[in-house]
Amino acid sequence: AMHDGELRSAGINQHLSGWRDRLPVTRLDETTFVHRIFGGYFRSQVKCKSCGYCSNTYDPFLDLSLEVSKKTSNSVMAAINEFTRKETLDAENQWKCSGCKKYVCPTKQLTVFRAPLCLCIQLKR
């Protein structure tokens, strides 16, 4: 069981009636023991090449799924570098920039924003 102070620091007041119903399930799940030990956050950043505006999205994760191929199989670090590599979106995947209000081909990068206390790595063949 979590202490009242731990729930409060996560933005949850368990003394309010119906507090479980008002919270999104994902937010409540992030307060569990498993998430506190194995949970981290990815940051997905899309950056406009025209004006430099950045859009960041943060998503929780419990494990890191790394692709194993001939290119990345020589080390886990090489697989992590491939996982976090910047990519440029093509004309088919243009994005409307909130900064310059134009449709652009931005760069996109997924990084580990907050690493978990204990990182689980899943190797995909």
Side-chain angles (χ1 to χ4, degrees):
M2 294 182 68
H3 296 284
D4 187 44
E6 292 172 315
L7 289 171
R8 256 197 316 269
S9 68
I12 298 169
N13 184 349
Q14 65 180 354
H15 300 293
L16 291 177
S17 177
W19 63 271
R20 289 180 192 263
D21 299 330
R22 288 194 301 270
L23 288 174
V25 174
T26 55
R27 178 73 177 133
L28 182 60
D29 288 346
E30 292 170 29
T31 63
T32 65
F33 176 73
V34 172
H35 274 269
R36 288 178 25 217
I37 301 297
F38 299 102
Y41 283 89
F42 287 131
R43 178 182 72 180
S44 176
Q45 184 176 74
V46 181
K47 186 173 184 178
C48 179
K49 287 183 170 183
S50 297
C51 69
Y53 175 82
C54 291
S55 172
N56 294 309
T57 306
Y58 301 91
D59 293 306
F61 72 90
L62 291 174
D63 65 348
L64 190 58
S65 296
L66 298 178
E67 193 76 35
V68 177
S69 66
K70 290 181 182 179
K71 185 177 179 182
T72 60
S73 62
N74 59 352
S75 73
V76 172
M77 199 62 218
I80 291 172
N81 287 336
E82 183 65 23
F83 181 79
T84 60
R85 176 180 56 84
K86 269 188 190 176
E87 61 179 308
T88 301
L89 301 182
D90 57 13
E92 198 173 284
N93 295 309
Q94 283 189 336
W95 170 71
K96 186 172 182 181
C97 175
S98 295
C100 62
K101 309 293 187 215
K102 297 178 189 173
Y103 282 94
V104 295
C105 295
T107 59
K108 182 177 180 180
Q109 185 176 26
L110 185 67
T111 56
V112 176
F113 177 72
R114 193 198 73 182
L117 295 174
C118 183
L119 177 63
C120 290
I121 297 176
Q122 176 188 40
L123 301 176
K124 300 187 300 184
R125 292 190 215 184

